[in-house]
Amino acid sequence: MVTSTPPTPKAPRDLLRRKSVEASLASLDDPDRHLTRSLTAWDLAVLGVAVAVGAGIFSVGATAAANYAGPSVIVSFIIAAVVCGLAIMCYAEFASTIPVAGSAYTYSYTTMGEAVAWIIGWDLILEMLLAAAVIAKFWGVYLSDAFTLFGSTLPTTLTIGGVDVAWGPVVIVAVFTTLLAIGTQLSTRVNSVFTIIKVAITLFVVVAGFFYVDRANYTPFVPPSQPAPAGTSALQQPLLSFLSGAAPSSYGVLGILSGAALVFFAFIGFDVVATTAEETKNPQRTIPRGIFAGLAVVTVLYILVTVVVTGMVPYTALAASGSPSLTTAFVLVGADWAGKIISIGILVGLTSVLMVLLLGLTRVVFAMSRDGLLPRSLSRTSPRFHTPVRLQVGAGVVVAVVAGLSRVELLEEMINIGTLSAFVLVSFGVPILRRTRPDLPRGFQVPWSPTLPILAGVACLWLMMNLTTLTWLRFAVWLVVGLAIYGGYSYRHSLVGQAQRGAAER
């Protein structure tokens, strides 16, 4: 009797299986999973500004100045903007080469293989799900605060069946889920109105704040390093400091770097714009123009706000306030009137941010579902609206439940680490695709490749190392859960894997 030798397991090699660029582009021809190209460069620029300019523009700079960098937080913003700009160039090259939904997930699938693509897709879900839930939660809080400022009272929660539910997040998520289900173009038009309003409010507040600026508050520009406040644990310090054994500290050069890692939160969202590549007209030209225009506007706005907030009051006064913000600076100089205007700006700002995050979340899940790594039924589009209606509604329900029932705001830094991990892989992916597929037409090319893409990836990795150790531990747990799902479902249902197995059997 002849016995056959058992086949050698191929799992390790299969984990590196890639989806070709041609297969990614062919996905666009599936009539049941097809998105309509309707977005222009203006729409993409507005999306970028909309998602990056929210409540953070009035608070994140003040927080970083108070707790990390003092007036040198301006340098922190410049560092974060440069790093983001380098990474965004890599996104622009990929999006103009492979104009398909999925952003970093899709790009990683063609360059680094399925396992890496799954991990980055899972990270993007983390980023956008948590960001949408956090923004929705804050929207409800700021709505109540706005009513209070104008002399009315509005409770933030309702008790339903003995459970306290934050009703504000549920309402705002329901509204934008409906708009996005009806059509992406309609949603972006509504979003444009909100974005123009909030930029106008921001500029008004900045101009008003300049009248209260005292140059003495910019000295010392880089406060000397000092021990962190009592009670600061090692897990609350940057991972880099934890690994090096450095004592917890604030300010100084390390404070500038920690501040950059924190204010990077202000620039997340431009990767979300790349998820709309499949819905963009003439993506080879439109995507680079739209992304860079949005980044330029956002960078200028954040630096202007930071210059004002650190010039109006000493950074020590901001630190003493407990919850520093631009409103804090106006209150400390006796201009209480600004609080009402800023509260309106925050509400409008959060509204547009939420819409873009809900859009990005569904497009990433849509791409993963179309590839079979998540149930294929999620990627079916409506014949009437040409959007993934069921997926959009499902994502909205999840975000509303998380925001309405949990203290999701405690996980804010998880958003940063999810974004940065995507930025790292996209940056490193550019030279890989240049080498493996030099023949592909590219609407935009990162200059000085591979130097600049590698520099972008290393810079993003450096910012990740400046996030807290606790954030890294939570991130590790999320990755373990994701790998379990991949091993239990996605690996077997992958369309690329099924095609390879079918070819091997023939």
Side-chain angles (χ1 to χ4, degrees):
M1 183 176 67
V2 178
T3 58
S4 59
T5 304
T8 303
K10 297 183 179 180
R13 186 170 62 186
D14 286 351
L15 295 178
L16 300 178
R17 58 196 180 200
R18 301 177 183 180
K19 185 177 182 180
S20 69
V21 174
E22 288 74 16
S24 293
L25 296 175
S27 301
L28 307 180
D29 299 327
D30 187 338
D32 295 326
R33 297 170 174 82
H34 177 72
L35 299 172
T36 303
R37 294 195 182 278
S38 60
L39 303 181
T40 64
W42 165 262
D43 294 324
L44 296 189
V46 168
L47 286 175
V49 176
V51 73
V53 179
I57 197 167
F58 300 113
S59 62
V60 71
T63 301
N67 301 326
Y68 295 99
S72 60
V73 69
I74 297 168
V75 179
S76 298
F77 266 108
I78 293 173
I79 292 173
V82 169
V83 172
C84 184
L86 291 174
I88 287 303
M89 283 196 291
C90 299
Y91 271 90
E93 176 166 332
F94 266 118
S96 66
T97 307
I98 315 174
V100 179
S103 186
Y105 157 76
T106 299
Y107 312 149
S108 298
Y109 211 160
T110 62
T111 56
M112 300 182 187
E114 185 174 281
V116 175
W118 166 263
I119 290 172
I120 209 61
W122 188 242
D123 288 351
L124 289 172
I125 292 173
L126 167 72
E127 171 202 343
M128 296 178 196
L129 173 62
L130 285 183
V134 168
I135 294 299
K137 187 67 170 278
F138 283 151
W139 187 90
V141 172
Y142 282 115
L143 178 65
S144 178
D145 290 346
F147 271 84
T148 301
L149 285 171
F150 287 95
S152 300
T153 302
L154 186 69
T156 58
T157 60
L158 295 175
T159 302
I160 302 176
V163 179
D164 289 337
V165 179
W167 62 270
V170 176
V171 170
I172 193 63
V173 169
V175 169
F176 275 103
T177 295
T178 302
L179 281 174
L180 287 167
I182 293 174
T184 305
Q185 189 174 34
L186 171 63
S187 303
T188 55
R189 294 294 180 263
V190 173
N191 203 38
S192 296
V193 176
F194 283 114
T195 302
I196 291 171
I197 292 173
K198 73 177 177 182
V199 169
I201 291 174
T202 303
L203 290 175
F204 171 78
V205 172
V206 166
V207 172
F210 269 114
F211 288 98
Y212 298 94
V213 167
D214 181 354
R215 292 184 181 180
N217 292 326
Y218 295 123
T219 305
F221 187 71
V222 181
S225 178
Q226 57 184 270
T232 302
S233 70
L235 293 180
Q236 294 171 310
Q237 283 291 294
L239 178 65
L240 195 63
S241 298
F242 177 78
L243 294 176
S244 65
S249 64
S250 301
Y251 309 118
V253 174
L254 290 180
I256 294 175
L257 297 175
S258 295
L262 175 65
V263 303
F264 191 84
F265 178 81
F267 295 96
I268 71 164
F270 285 97
D271 57 324
V272 182
V273 177
T275 67
T276 65
E278 195 169 321
E279 298 163 89
T280 302
K281 298 177 182 177
N282 191 10
Q284 284 74 21
R285 288 167 55 91
T286 302
I287 292 173
R289 290 181 178 181
I291 288 180
F292 290 131
L295 179 61
V297 172
V298 168
T299 301
V300 170
L301 285 176
Y302 267 100
I303 290 178
L304 285 175
V305 170
T306 305
V307 169
V308 168
V309 75
T310 53
M312 289 176 67
V313 294
Y315 72 93
T316 51
L318 291 172
S321 68
S323 300
S325 66
L326 185 58
T327 303
T328 305
F330 275 100
V331 170
L332 289 175
V333 297
D336 295 356
W337 57 267
K340 295 180 180 181
I341 297 177
I342 291 173
S343 67
I344 295 173
I346 289 174
L347 266 180
V348 174
L350 292 180
T351 301
S352 58
V353 173
L354 179 61
M355 193 221 80
V356 183
L357 290 171
L358 288 172
L359 172 65
L361 173 61
T362 56
R363 295 314 182 259
V364 171
V365 176
F366 173 85
M368 297 175 73
S369 166
R370 190 164 58 183
D371 290 337
L373 301 187
L374 291 173
R376 289 264 291 167
S377 59
L378 295 176
S379 57
R380 286 192 175 275
T381 52
S382 164
R384 178 181 178 185
F385 300 117
H386 303 290
T387 61
V389 173
R390 284 184 292 180
L391 173 57
Q392 195 72 64
V393 172
V397 169
V398 172
V399 170
V401 169
V402 172
L405 299 177
S406 70
R407 297 185 63 192
V408 70
E409 63 273 15
L410 298 178
L411 301 177
E412 272 186 90
E413 275 204 5
M414 293 283 286
I415 302 168
N416 279 14
I417 201 168
T419 305
L420 284 167
S421 61
F423 278 20
V424 169
L425 291 181
V426 169
S427 299
F428 290 151
V430 166
I432 293 176
L433 192 64
R434 289 272 191 101
R435 176 176 294 182
T436 58
R437 294 300 305 272
D439 57 304
L440 293 174
R442 291 167 168 83
F444 172 84
Q445 294 190 42
V446 181
W448 303 312
S449 180
T451 304
L452 269 189
I454 291 175
L455 180 62
V458 171
C460 290
L461 191 59
W462 173 265
L463 289 180
M464 287 179 71
M465 297 295 288
N466 279 279
L467 294 172
T468 66
T469 306
L470 183 59
T471 296
W472 276 90
L473 292 176
R474 288 169 172 166
F475 184 57
V477 173
W478 177 259
L479 290 181
V480 169
V481 173
L483 289 173
I485 295 174
Y486 178 75
Y489 178 89
S490 306
Y491 176 78
R492 292 181 292 107
H493 291 83
S494 161
L495 295 189
V496 173
Q498 290 176 1
Q500 287 186 356
R501 288 191 291 272
E505 291 172 358
R506 287 196 294 269

